[in-house]
Amino acid sequence: MKIKLIIAVLLCSSMLSSQTFAMGAKRPAAPSAPARPKAPTTPVVTNPSLDPTLDFGAALTTEDYLNSSAEVGPQIDDVKSDDELSGKVREMVNVDSVDKCFDDDKAHNYFADQIAYYTSEMMNDVPAKVGFVGSSYGTSTNDDKYFPTSLIRHPLCNSTSANLSSTIKKVPSQTTIDKLNRFAMTVNGLRQNVLYGDADAKKELLSTWTKFFSCLAYSESMSTSDSSASKTVAAKVAPEGYRKPAGVEFYEDANQPVASRLNIGMYQFTPDSNGNIQPCIKAWNALHTDKASCQVNPKASQSELIKVFGSSLQSFNAFCGVHKLIQTFAIQVNTSKTSATHPLNLSGGKLKPYEQRCVTPYFYSGWAYNHFGPFQNSTGSNLSELFSCIESSH
């Protein structure tokens, strides 16, 4: 009864307080500057502070992420009538240094393991490292001057047709919006219970986010990862001594410029060190300072990055996929521009303090630094398809 009451209060209060794309979306052409709803562009941020106050209790354990993987992987495979997440044992076929950087001694034989592992890692505050685009989004260019973000630090914003029109270009149907809000209600309810010290709620929250990213993996690459087209592209671009591992998508988007045409792996990233993979590389390196062999060269060549993003166990690719959501959360939480955060974060002409803001995955790439097409409803249907997957798994 207590949990139901908390969830109901959260939903009620939410209502009152009211870039690279990949296989799952097919990347649209480079965006033109879109018109935005009129609002102050540099409102005052009241009582800003970079010091978080919330405590989320004991850290999740190895058993927790393994349990999440074992639970969620088969569920999503079943929804997709496939076995890419949990039905195929993955083996290293290249040197794959990035697949040897886990903090445990488990096998990590399934792609579901990597998704659950890095989702668990990002339930903690992790560095966003988005300072290199800060000047475009009203945030600091100094990576050390960001209020922390994670998959639990801030609640998810409630969605309406009106506020979605301020964050994405293609507003979905009310049926889809209802799906977004059911997910937000679940996440926020579990988060609130974690704040009350409920350790089981934290485990359930991990599985909820793992389900989210597992469905996204299918949207991006899983269904066609070993197609003849994928194998052809891999053979064309593979550096010397590299062999395409099973389950790793290689895709060329003819609608994109040459520099961003090639996309690799679980969450479809372009192996260009000058592109939007920079925050992932910097964050990865910051979290692996004690392992010299795990460091990724921030200025790596395309050949080097093909090996990193196309590794056999998909470790770095999975890390970057989950971290991309942390990156857009960091922009929304730290920006001084109303155009780069959710409308619910503006109150009385002033942006709320960093810690008091909500966050949303659903943001157009030119407005709040987003990587994934489904989060932007880029095709007009892929956001609904993503959440149909999430809601069908149980």
Side-chain angles (χ1 to χ4, degrees):
M1 181 62 70
K2 180 179 179 182
I3 293 176
K4 292 181 178 178
L5 178 60
I6 291 170
I7 292 175
V9 170
L10 279 169
L11 180 59
C12 180
S13 62
S14 296
M15 292 178 175
L16 288 172
S17 61
S18 23
Q19 209 170 273
T20 358
F21 297 87
M23 277 300 295
K26 302 299 186 203
R27 299 205 245 175
S32 57
R36 300 302 312 277
K38 292 183 179 179
T41 56
T42 54
V44 175
V45 179
T46 58
N47 302 319
S49 172
L50 294 178
D51 299 321
T53 63
L54 299 178
D55 180 6
F56 297 106
L60 293 163
T61 66
T62 297
E63 288 70 27
D64 293 333
Y65 93 76
L66 288 174
N67 289 338
S68 179
S69 170
E71 171 194 354
V72 173
Q75 289 178 355
I76 305 304
D77 279 343
D78 185 58
V79 169
K80 294 296 184 178
S81 300
D82 211 330
D83 60 356
E84 292 295 324
L85 290 174
S86 61
K88 296 178 179 177
V89 175
R90 307 299 176 176
E91 298 179 353
M92 292 194 200
V93 298
N94 300 299
V95 176
D96 296 325
S97 297
V98 292
D99 286 334
K100 304 171 185 177
C101 301
F102 303 108
D103 289 331
D104 60 58
D105 59 356
K106 304 304 180 182
H108 291 264
N109 283 336
Y110 302 100
F111 284 164
D113 292 341
Q114 274 60 280
I115 295 174
Y117 179 89
Y118 289 113
T119 300
S120 175
E121 188 167 88
M122 288 180 222
M123 296 279 281
N124 305 307
D125 294 333
V126 292
K129 299 296 184 181
V130 289
F132 88 119
V133 294
S135 59
S136 298
Y137 296 99
T139 58
S140 178
T141 57
N142 185 339
D143 285 324
D144 295 327
K145 293 184 177 180
Y146 278 73
F147 188 86
T149 43
S150 71
L151 294 175
I152 193 171
R153 176 60 61 186
H154 295 83
L156 292 179
C157 306
N158 190 61
S159 296
T160 66
S161 178
N163 64 40
L164 282 169
S165 69
S166 294
T167 63
I168 58 178
K169 293 172 116 180
K170 296 181 179 180
V171 177
S173 68
Q174 186 59 49
T175 299
T176 300
I177 294 173
D178 290 342
K179 293 177 184 178
L180 307 185
N181 286 331
R182 284 194 291 269
F183 181 78
M185 183 174 67
T186 299
V187 168
N188 291 347
L190 291 170
R191 174 183 177 274
Q192 190 64 41
N193 289 337
V194 172
L195 292 178
Y196 280 103
D198 187 341
D200 288 336
K202 194 169 188 178
K203 298 173 187 177
E204 189 174 347
L205 184 58
L206 168 61
S207 290
T208 299
W209 277 118
T210 299
K211 187 179 297 184
F212 178 92
F213 287 108
S214 296
C215 284
L216 180 64
Y218 264 108
S219 295
E220 293 296 296
S221 74
M222 289 295 176
S223 298
T224 54
S225 57
D226 291 320
S227 66
S228 59
S230 176
K231 293 176 181 178
T232 297
V233 174
K236 173 184 173 182
V237 302
E240 184 177 358
Y242 174 85
R243 181 158 60 97
K244 175 193 170 314
V248 178
E249 172 80 68
F250 277 73
Y251 172 67
E252 283 189 316
D253 189 341
N255 294 321
Q256 290 297 307
V258 174
S260 57
R261 187 166 293 171
L262 176 62
N263 296 274
I264 299 174
M266 184 183 293
Y267 292 112
Q268 291 288 277
F269 292 105
T270 298
D272 176 11
S273 59
N274 293 316
N276 76 348
I277 62 173
Q278 267 295 309
C280 295
I281 294 175
K282 290 180 179 179
W284 172 276
N285 288 345
L287 295 171
H288 294 89
T289 54
D290 59 332
K291 300 175 182 177
S293 62
C294 292
Q295 295 291 295
V296 175
N297 181 2
K299 298 181 180 179
S301 66
Q302 175 173 290
S303 293
E304 291 175 285
L305 290 173
I306 287 174
K307 297 174 183 178
V308 170
F309 283 101
S311 72
S312 301
L313 303 186
Q314 288 290 275
S315 300
F316 190 92
N317 207 300
F319 171 88
C320 195
V322 181
H323 193 257
K324 276 296 168 188
L325 192 57
I326 302 299
Q327 293 169 31
T328 191
F329 285 176
I331 294 294
Q332 296 169 44
V333 166
N334 289 276
T335 187
S336 61
K337 289 184 176 181
T338 56
S339 59
T341 195
H342 197 277
L344 291 178
N345 292 326
L346 185 66
S347 178
K350 296 180 180 180
L351 282 172
K352 295 178 181 178
Y354 306 135
E355 191 166 41
Q356 294 179 20
R357 298 185 191 183
C358 63
V359 292
T360 180
Y362 325 116
F363 235 116
Y364 185 66
S365 59
W367 299 342
Y369 197 60
N370 198 352
H371 174 79
F372 294 108
F375 294 172
Q376 301 168 61
N377 199 30
S378 59
T379 67
S381 62
N382 49 359
L383 181 57
S384 176
E385 291 164 2
L386 174 65
F387 274 85
S388 291
C389 171
I390 294 169
E391 291 199 337
S392 295
S393 58
H394 52 269

